[in-house]
Amino acid sequence: MAEHYDIPMPTRDQMLNLTPFFRLTPGNIITYIILAVGLVVTVMRFTLGIGAVSNLDDNYPWGIWIGFDLLCGVALAAGGYFTTVACYVLGLKRFHSAVRPAVTTAFLGYFFVVVALHYDLGHPLRLPYAFFYPGTTSVLFEVGLCVATYVTVLFCEFSVMPIEWLAHRFPILRIFHKLITKTVILLTIFGVTLSTLHQSSLGSLFLIAPGKLHPLWYSPFMPMFFFVSSMAAGASMVIFEGMLTHKGLQFYMDTNHAKDSKLVTLSFSRAASFILMGYFMLKLIDMIVQNNMGYLFSGYGVLWLVEMFGFVLLPALIYAKGARDGNEHICQIGSIITVLGIIFNRFNVSIIAFNWHLPAAERYFPSWHEITVSVFIVTLIITVYRFIVYHMPVLYEHPNFRHHG
Amino acid sequence: MNRRKFLALLGTAGVGGALAAPGMAAAKAHVFPGYENSYGVLHDVTRCIGCRQCEEACNAVNSLPQPREPFDDLDVLGVRRRTSAYQWTVVNQYTIDDKPYFRKLQCFHCNEPACASACFAKCFTKNPDGSVTYNGEQCVGCRYCMIACPFYIPGFQYDEPFDPLVQKCTFCKPRLDKGQLPGCVEACPMDALTFGRRSDLIRLARKRIEENPGRYTDYIYGEWDAGGTAWMVLAPASKETVGKSDVGPAGATEVMHAIGLDTHLGSQPMGELTYGALGTVPLIVAFWPILFGGLYGISKSREARNEMRNKIMRAAVRQDMAAAMDDAVRRIERQQGPEAAEVARQALEDAVEERRQAALDASRFARKEDH
């Protein structure tokens, strides 16, 4: 029986638990400063235009709003499909306590990818035009269609948590709750299908530009690289978030969650180690087959080697060591390196090794506005995640909804 | 079976085509060869003097804003410039074998444009007259067309806060419709730009090369590059290419690179590079649910099998235990009488019940861990 008598659970009379947001902790103060500056830059972006706040130009139509907010955002939200497949499809029930946090972060990740996209688009309000004038030959159309559908799937998977919170007041929601718990396996399979498609398609986006992307990163197998690395990203994010939640949200955890988290960390580390090893081999073989050995002895070659050895092979070995020794902390270090490595890789493909032959003066570096927007979005995700954990059964099992979903 | 019969069989099976294809000149069936009788422009770099009159004409006929440097300022030629939202064509100066040359940059109007293939809102159209035009009314402003364009042509109105659009050369489509020449072609004083049907232009280019082999590199840039383009470039000869015939993209690389042209784009339309990846979409949509549904089925059935095996094992253990107890009690009865046997039976049953209860609690705990 899970113990959670100490968790400040919302009740019918006390639906809100906002006090943690009003405490004058350093975290809160930094959060509010970032949110305030972010709001100012947001107003600037939507009144003065993209050119006024960003360093984007005709050679670099895509900067960190795509390279970080979209590419990294989607990859790092892969924990959703990774965990639900492990738990529901493969029947590894011991990961059950990891499902809800993973689904929550995945939903928030994707939702805010769409939010962030509005900053980058010239005509953000026309986003649905993709469905009115479908350009079916475009990889981006496929990405858009999949992301739109997958956000919906994630919303359904996530919805059980707000329902369990709001059911005190709106009992009618229980019907929807039942429907979701009954169809969870369908949603999971639908989710992994859509994830496979758009995770890989983010790599396919660059297939059309062989002349612009450095040969060490350009490959016909980019879709596969993006998909395989997204699996490692998903597993690592579950471990990484688990570490963070234990450092700040431990009061909202029931004993089951706290007890299982070590098992989850070790098992996911083992999986991530295998995936990263596989990814390393794939990239190595691809580099050799494409006869790119010569490029290794250039600046870009060093960059590629740092990425491959420092951010793929090294975390793979760290994970293996941590999983074998049963040492959570080593695994957590592995997860941090992997998450950084995913960001590094996506930056390399979309920005650093993109337009590699352009002279240095024409290269892109993000403006402080652009960086602010990205930081703002990440802060928003963290803040909304905190709100959800303070109110909804993410890290604990709600006593009224035992043995559901 | 002789060779002829074997080949005929292969042919019927449909593999003949696939086997023979690499050796044959036949174009791939799904490559769009460009509209018949569509127009193009041949840009002869050897004739261009870098006077920028084409830039001025382009600016005038398309009512573009005045640039900072006036069009008679020829110093800008030395700066590496590219097209932008407000400059749809620019002339740059390049050097081949220490001699200066000038090349005009504008949209190449590809037969199968990368921008059109990349656009997810269908803003770009390849028109039957050869021009590639853009409809800003449905543009979302994602700028993937700019990522996709291998020639760095489309520009974006970054300075426009509320209605920023992608802009590029339209081949003066409105003028073509009225039967007029594109502004730049009309303005060129050196005849460096020749307007005509694309097929005629290729013949003309060949003729120029043939008549003056020392002047040109024998490679028509745009005939095949990126799947073929409506605007093509004839480059001067360099020390390497002079006098050589049909150098191909590899042989022309150095010269073309010197005037800022990429010969590594391949002869396929750029969009085709994504077709393989897009082709897997229906495959995954069809196969993934089956695969993961199957995995789900396997894990479910394994769970049920384990449950059944445990049940059988537990029953066997219970039977063994009961038989052993019976045996022990009967022995005690024989040696110490029925009273002692009754006490022993009671003690044994209590002990078993206690253990059973403990096991039940443990399994309940384990099951809860599982769910």
Side-chain angles (χ1 to χ4, degrees):
Chain A
M1 192 93 348
E3 303 285 343
H4 49 258
Y5 303 116
D6 302 334
I7 298 174
M9 257 183 275
T11 59
R12 206 186 136 75
D13 307 314
Q14 177 74 40
M15 291 289 277
L16 288 176
N17 170 27
L18 294 174
T19 40
F21 285 114
F22 297 129
R23 277 182 213 128
L24 272 183
T25 58
N28 271 344
I29 293 167
I30 294 169
T31 300
Y32 294 132
I33 291 171
I34 293 173
L35 292 185
V37 179
L39 276 177
V40 172
V41 176
T42 302
V43 172
M44 285 169 77
R45 151 66 187 92
F46 287 104
T47 52
L48 303 175
I50 299 172
V53 295
S54 75
N55 281 348
L56 296 174
D57 61 20
D58 290 336
N59 287 333
Y60 279 95
W62 287 357
I64 59 164
W65 288 345
I66 295 294
F68 180 75
D69 297 7
L70 180 80
L71 296 184
C72 297
V74 168
L76 298 177
Y81 84 83
F82 193 82
T83 316
T84 49
V85 165
C87 177
Y88 295 127
V89 174
L90 304 180
L92 304 172
K93 298 277 166 57
R94 54 187 183 275
F95 301 146
H96 195 264
S97 65
V99 167
R100 284 193 167 197
V103 165
T104 307
T105 18
F107 173 64
L108 290 181
Y110 276 88
F111 181 79
F112 280 99
V113 160
V114 180
V115 171
L117 197 57
H118 284 71
Y119 286 80
D120 188 70
L121 293 176
H123 280 276
L125 297 178
R126 291 186 188 169
L127 193 52
Y129 276 22
F131 307 114
F132 297 136
Y133 311 101
T136 44
T137 53
S138 170
V139 177
L140 203 54
F141 172 73
E142 199 234 312
V143 171
L145 192 62
C146 284
V147 170
T149 325
Y150 189 46
V151 171
T152 316
V153 169
L154 279 171
F155 173 76
C156 289
E157 289 185 313
F158 166 70
S159 66
V160 292
M161 293 168 240
I163 286 175
E164 291 179 13
W165 171 44
L166 298 170
H168 296 300
R169 284 284 168 89
F170 313 99
I172 187 88
L173 290 172
R174 284 164 184 270
I175 299 169
F176 193 68
H177 188 279
K178 211 171 207 172
L179 185 73
I180 298 295
T181 40
K182 284 245 164 75
T183 52
V184 70
I185 184 71
L186 276 180
L187 288 172
T188 304
I189 292 179
F190 202 29
V192 69
T193 306
L194 292 167
S195 293
T196 311
L197 289 175
H198 69 255
Q199 292 285 2
S200 59
S201 293
L202 288 177
S204 316
L205 282 177
F206 296 92
L207 284 176
I208 204 165
K212 297 185 179 179
L213 184 55
H214 192 281
L216 281 171
W217 284 272
Y218 185 90
S219 158
F221 297 106
M222 271 192 293
M224 190 174 63
F225 295 153
F226 268 57
F227 176 60
V228 174
S229 58
S230 87
M231 288 195 273
S236 302
M237 274 308 274
V238 170
I239 299 167
F240 182 63
E241 282 161 25
M243 178 179 77
L244 294 185
T245 29
H246 271 89
K247 295 233 164 83
L249 299 167
Q250 66 273 41
F251 304 117
Y252 296 87
M253 252 176 231
D254 63 18
T255 45
N256 265 357
H257 187 103
K259 186 165 55 59
D260 287 352
S261 77
K262 183 171 181 184
L263 182 77
V264 170
T265 297
L266 296 181
S267 308
F268 276 43
S269 296
R270 198 166 290 129
S273 177
F274 270 106
I275 296 164
L276 285 170
M277 280 291 186
Y279 179 72
F280 182 79
M281 290 313 289
L282 287 175
K283 290 277 282 188
L284 195 68
I285 292 167
D286 179 70
M287 185 271 293
I288 294 166
V289 167
Q290 292 203 60
N291 208 7
N292 284 340
M293 212 77 109
Y295 290 109
L296 290 183
F297 306 99
S298 65
Y300 283 102
V302 174
L303 199 68
W304 190 86
L305 290 171
V306 168
E307 184 189 319
M308 293 317 298
F309 285 92
F311 291 98
V312 181
L313 191 62
L314 179 70
L317 296 174
I318 291 178
Y319 270 142
K321 167 100 178 115
R324 168 166 289 196
D325 295 356
N327 187 330
E328 258 182 301
H329 298 293
I330 296 183
C331 295
Q332 287 163 351
I333 293 169
S335 79
I336 294 170
I337 300 175
T338 311
V339 168
L340 290 176
I342 294 289
I343 297 172
F344 189 40
N345 171 259
R346 300 309 193 253
F347 272 20
N348 278 339
V349 171
S350 65
I351 295 167
I352 300 171
F354 193 80
N355 283 339
W356 62 289
H357 56 267
L358 282 191
E362 291 177 36
R363 300 302 302 271
Y364 158 88
F365 192 84
S367 69
W368 71 264
H369 302 89
E370 286 176 87
I371 298 171
T372 306
V373 168
S374 293
V375 174
F376 174 61
I377 296 287
V378 173
T379 313
L380 268 180
I381 294 177
I382 296 171
T383 310
V384 176
Y385 186 82
R386 280 174 60 200
F387 177 86
I388 290 171
V389 168
Y390 293 153
H391 293 88
M392 306 173 200
V394 179
L395 306 175
Y396 61 88
E397 220 176 15
H398 199 283
N400 297 351
F401 293 90
R402 280 264 158 74
H403 299 303
H404 284 300
Chain B
M1 185 160 54
N2 61 23
R3 188 180 133 83
R4 184 183 294 270
K5 247 191 201 157
F6 177 69
L7 286 179
L9 264 176
L10 275 185
T12 17
V15 266
L19 284 177
M24 289 178 153
K28 282 181 240 161
H30 63 282
V31 171
F32 173 62
Y35 284 109
E36 217 174 315
N37 288 329
S38 66
Y39 295 113
V41 168
L42 180 69
H43 175 34
D44 191 331
V45 171
T46 65
R47 296 184 180 189
C48 184
I49 54 165
C51 64
R52 296 188 68 203
Q53 287 186 40
C54 50
E55 286 188 37
E56 190 168 9
C58 176
N59 181 281
V61 301
N62 294 302
S63 321
L64 298 172
Q66 280 298 313
R68 251 176 303 159
E69 295 89 4
F71 288 108
D72 51 15
D73 175 8
L74 297 185
D75 290 343
V76 298
L77 291 168
V79 185
R80 214 181 102 125
R81 292 182 302 158
R82 58 157 288 168
T83 55
S84 73
Y86 305 111
Q87 283 180 298
W88 296 353
T89 187
V90 294
V91 178
N92 279 346
Q93 182 179 325
Y94 301 95
T95 314
I96 299 174
D97 296 339
D98 301 329
K99 271 178 286 180
Y101 286 97
F102 303 94
R103 184 170 74 82
K104 177 180 175 296
L105 283 68
Q106 77 297 307
C107 174
F108 274 82
H109 299 276
C110 307
N111 289 348
E112 266 194 81
C115 54
S117 161
C119 180
F120 71 88
K122 276 195 186 152
C123 294
F124 292 92
T125 314
K126 173 71 177 179
N127 299 297
D129 62 10
S131 61
V132 176
T133 50
Y134 160 82
N135 172 15
E137 272 168 35
Q138 58 204 57
C139 177
V140 182
C142 72
R143 308 189 289 283
Y144 188 33
C145 50
M146 297 163 70
I147 294 279
C149 176
F151 304 112
Y152 291 89
I153 295 305
F156 188 71
Q157 296 169 324
Y158 286 105
D159 54 333
E160 172 62 54
F162 300 111
D163 186 25
L165 294 175
V166 169
Q167 298 287 320
K168 69 166 194 71
C169 159
T170 63
F171 206 155
C172 280
K173 169 84 172 148
R175 286 169 63 88
L176 288 189
D177 287 345
K178 282 189 277 182
Q180 293 170 306
L181 285 173
C184 54
V185 175
E186 202 175 65
C188 181
M190 298 306 293
D191 217 4
L193 299 170
T194 313
F195 176 88
R197 299 208 183 278
R198 186 173 184 269
S199 46
D200 293 341
L201 292 175
I202 294 171
R203 267 194 292 276
L204 174 73
R206 288 252 148 70
K207 211 172 115 218
R208 281 192 198 166
I209 297 168
E210 205 172 309
E211 283 171 356
N212 220 330
R215 186 182 171 97
Y216 296 105
T217 292
D218 189 1
Y219 184 80
I220 308 170
Y221 191 89
E223 186 184 5
W224 298 110
D225 300 83
T229 56
W231 286 58
M232 292 167 289
V233 179
L234 213 46
S238 73
K239 277 183 202 139
E240 272 86 41
T241 62
V242 67
K244 284 187 192 151
S245 64
D246 202 9
V247 292
T253 296
E254 218 163 314
V255 178
M256 294 300 167
H257 191 253
I259 55 171
L261 290 170
D262 186 354
T263 51
H264 295 113
L265 299 173
S267 58
Q268 83 297 320
M270 304 315 288
E272 203 172 287
L273 295 168
T274 63
Y275 293 172
L278 286 174
T280 60
V281 171
L283 218 75
I284 289 173
V285 169
F287 184 53
W288 252 221
I290 299 173
L291 178 71
F292 284 90
L295 285 173
Y296 173 65
I298 291 170
S299 77
K300 267 277 162 206
S301 87
R302 193 175 43 196
E303 218 170 83
R305 232 180 19 250
N306 280 345
E307 189 70 17
M308 182 61 79
R309 191 181 298 142
N310 286 346
K311 219 180 239 169
I312 292 170
M313 265 169 64
R314 276 199 301 274
V317 168
R318 257 201 314 276
Q319 274 175 1
D320 277 2
M321 182 82 90
M325 269 164 58
D326 236 32
D327 202 35
V329 168
R330 228 169 279 142
R331 260 188 234 174
I332 293 170
E333 195 175 12
R334 247 182 279 129
Q335 290 171 5
Q336 304 176 17
E339 244 166 69
E342 196 47 47
V343 173
R345 181 187 296 280
Q346 197 58 50
L348 281 167
E349 270 172 7
D350 284 354
V352 167
E353 178 59 24
E354 232 165 73
R355 291 195 71 91
R356 202 179 65 85
Q357 208 60 49
L360 211 62
D361 284 352
S363 85
R364 224 183 254 141
F365 186 70
R367 204 172 313 139
K368 213 193 58 50
E369 257 195 338
D370 275 356
H371 287 287

